[in-house]
Amino acid sequence: MRYIFLGSLVAGVVAVVLLVSTALAAPPYSVGYNGTAVTTAVPGKPFTLKLQVKNTGTTVYSGVKVTLHISEGLTHSKVAPGDALVQDDIISWSNVPIEAGKAFYPTITFTMDSGTPLKTKLNLWVEVTGKDMEANSANFSITAVRSVTTTTSTSTLSSADISSMFQSVY
């Protein structure tokens, strides 16, 4: 009888551990940048932040709410998709369906307040919640800089190419 009780107790503990570890597993979705990460901004000049909330699992989520908390010092001027609820420094999208393997792409244009001291770091916090899913969040930092470096492409021309261009012009 004592062995049956101990066996039942061990089985019960294992079941609880498995249940808790399953409940605490990472949510099957990610929050990140859609394209190039925006980590710097020039005070007084607009910049666009493109985010991606991706369902990396096999379950279809409906009723998902994506909430963006905006730091003081940032002003939003354009929000897409346009069905967002904008209230003070919070932008949210409700009832977002996210199919398995698909993503939701919110895009927001901000301006960092003029006069923001250089090297000041402002934060944005994205929170994702929904029915039957574990809540998740991600933080994004934007640092004030004097200018933003843009990527340019360069082409290499041989001396024969330059000579050919020169001859065709003259």
Side-chain angles (χ1 to χ4, degrees):
M1 180 106 158
R2 188 168 37 180
Y3 294 112
I4 294 173
F5 173 74
L6 284 175
S8 297
L9 180 64
V10 169
V13 169
V14 169
V16 168
V17 168
L18 288 174
L19 183 64
V20 169
S21 66
T22 302
L24 297 178
Y29 57 94
S30 63
V31 180
Y33 289 104
N34 178 26
T36 306
V38 176
T39 58
T40 58
V42 177
K45 295 195 177 196
F47 65 94
T48 300
L49 187 68
K50 297 177 182 179
L51 299 174
Q52 170 182 278
V53 178
K54 184 171 186 179
N55 181 346
T56 59
T58 57
T59 303
V60 175
Y61 291 118
S62 60
V64 175
K65 183 174 184 180
V66 178
T67 306
L68 176 65
H69 302 268
I70 304 166
S71 181
E72 187 174 320
L74 290 172
T75 305
H76 53 83
S77 58
K78 196 182 221 181
V79 176
D83 60 346
L85 174 63
V86 179
Q87 198 169 26
D88 299 323
D89 291 337
I90 297 174
I91 301 171
S92 61
W93 293 266
S94 295
N95 297 316
V96 176
I98 304 179
E99 300 283 329
K102 302 291 183 182
F104 172 67
Y105 300 100
T107 302
I108 307 96
T109 300
F110 292 101
T111 301
M112 186 178 284
D113 292 351
S114 294
T116 300
L118 298 180
K119 297 185 182 178
T120 298
K121 191 175 279 193
L122 302 176
N123 295 308
L124 300 165
W125 176 47
V126 179
E127 180 182 19
V128 181
T129 57
K131 184 180 179 194
D132 300 327
M133 62 187 282
E134 185 178 333
N136 194 9
S137 64
N139 292 307
F140 301 90
S141 295
I142 311 292
T143 303
V145 295
R146 184 178 318 280
S147 64
V148 175
T149 305
T150 57
T151 305
T152 58
S153 62
T154 57
S155 298
T156 305
L157 296 175
S158 67
S159 58
D161 292 333
I162 294 171
S163 177
S164 173
M165 287 180 4
F166 184 75
Q167 288 176 358
S168 61
V169 171
Y170 295 100

